[in-house]
Amino acid sequence: FANLEKFDLAIADYTKAIELTPKDASAYNNRGLAYISIKDSENALSDFSKTIELNPKFTDIYYNRGLVYKQQKDFDRAFADFNKAIDLNPKNATAYLNRGDIYYNLKKDYDRAISDYNKAIELSPILAIAYNNRGNAYEDKGNNQRAITDYRKALQINPNYEDAKSNLIRVLSKK
């Protein structure tokens, strides 16, 4: 049901599955993902936390919960969850991307942000947003040439990426 965007039905089905097998961590995780899809972050957080309680080694759950915390602007908890997600699955490119965003936007630690964006790109070379965000960090460090290279790479991957287009125009206008 979740794949058909019938999230209310999916939530009902996962709820029944939880009633039948209350220790099934994946049912809580899947219901949490369905809750995210209908923008019910409180129930999503509750389900993700229950998943962790049932199976603390469930690799994607910390990433999923971190995304909700990030959306709620609870960046300390998001940061902790992205760290845990990376500890459990060092090949999770988007966990590095999101942790890099926190380094960049909140901590203003551009070097660590760039390091995380580098790792995200290494793991997923077609992740256009990682190039764009790394370009932002390079630009803020005053390295416009590297920023231009990254914005162009993001656009090569996704020619319709509006943020990368406007970033590239902005940095080129500085020349």
Side-chain angles (χ1 to χ4, degrees), residues 16-32:
K16 281 183 184 171
I18 289 166
E19 289 168 3
L20 294 171
T21 55
K23 296 198 184 300
D24 182 359
S26 63
Y28 283 98
N29 178 63
N30 291 338
R31 188 174 70 177

Side-chain angles (χ1 to χ4, degrees), residues 24-41:
D24 182 359
S26 63
Y28 283 98
N29 178 63
N30 291 338
R31 188 174 70 177
L33 292 170
Y35 278 130
I36 286 176
S37 299
I38 62 168
K39 304 201 182 332
D40 183 347
S41 60

Side-chain angles (χ1 to χ4, degrees), residues 136-148:
N136 289 336
Y138 279 133
E139 185 179 354
D140 285 350
K141 284 186 65 157
N143 192 336
N144 290 342
Q145 195 52 54
R146 284 188 122 163
I148 290 167

